[in-house]
Amino acid sequence: MSSPIKSQYSQHQQDHGDDDGEQQQQEMLMLTDPPFWHNPCGMQITYEGSGSGTIAGSGVGHDMMMMESDSAMRREEDIIDGIVLSAKQALSQAEQFAGSFVVGTFHVDVKKFHDVWKDTTLEWLQQAEYMPKKLNVPLTKSYLDKLTFKDVLPAVYVGMQNLAVGLEQVAWDQDRERLSFAKDFKNITFQLRAILCEMSMAISEMNETEPRVSRNIMPMRLRVSRDNRSLRDWLILREYITSLQYVIEVFVHLKSRR
């Protein structure tokens, strides 16, 4: 016997026939715009180094090294604080919106809806690779203790860019079709951009090359098909919320170990 929630979901979907071809042409035009996550801060940012070179064997050289080390530690803590603050603000609004979206779209409580679809994933998002976590399930201490700031930052940056690919498409669809939650999804992309900006500045300050994610990770059929589109949107939103929880847990833990 099928789940009553899934039945409600099926009834909610509409058959739009062969409109996908026309929409695919529109999508191709939109996909030529530069992705917002490739330059999330909206400007070119350069950082001046604190200088280099020490006098071998001298007290002055040792003091300079210690000062640079302390400065790097402070910068790292500031970076963590900025990322966590942005993520907490985004999470609060996203969780509140998730309830409205599920009730308004599927006419069912968000917890019940999540329980039905919790094992359904979007493989192209690759969240299990970059930010392995289940919604509302805390990460284990043994997992957290293995993480380092230098390894976590680029991985999380890629994972959040993957989500940006999906959320951009959801926001486009909502806006183009003038749906009820167009403004909400647009706001989510703004909040995600702020988080990515914090991470981008951190990676630049570490003098590392920023990894860039292509829009091509999202299959075109998932962009243009209207079948199960609302479910697609929920799964992307769910993974976004889960990833924000991951970011907060991980970076708070990293700061506590300093």
Side-chain angles (χ1 to χ4, degrees), residues 54 56 67-68 70 81-82 91 103 142 144 154 157 187 209 251:
T54 59
M67 289 174 63
E68 288 184 359
D70 290 344
D81 287 342
L91 178 61
V103 171
S142 60
L144 290 168
Y157 191 58
N187 287 338
T209 301
F251 283 100

Side-chain angles (χ1 to χ4, degrees), residues 132-149:
K133 177 177 166 61
K134 296 291 186 180
L135 183 66
N136 297 327
V137 178
L139 299 168
T140 65
K141 187 175 185 301
S142 60
Y143 172 80
L144 290 168
D145 285 341
K146 296 176 183 177
L147 303 178
T148 66
F149 179 79

Side-chain angles (χ1 to χ4, degrees), residues 2 6 9 13 32 42 50 53 65 67 121 127 136-137 143 150 157 168 213 217:
S2 63
K6 289 187 178 181
Y9 171 75
Q13 301 304 307
T32 60
S50 56
M65 291 175 66
M67 289 174 63
T121 60
Q127 292 305 290
N136 297 327
V137 178
Y143 172 80
K150 190 171 183 179
Y157 191 58
E168 177 190 62
V213 172
I217 66 166

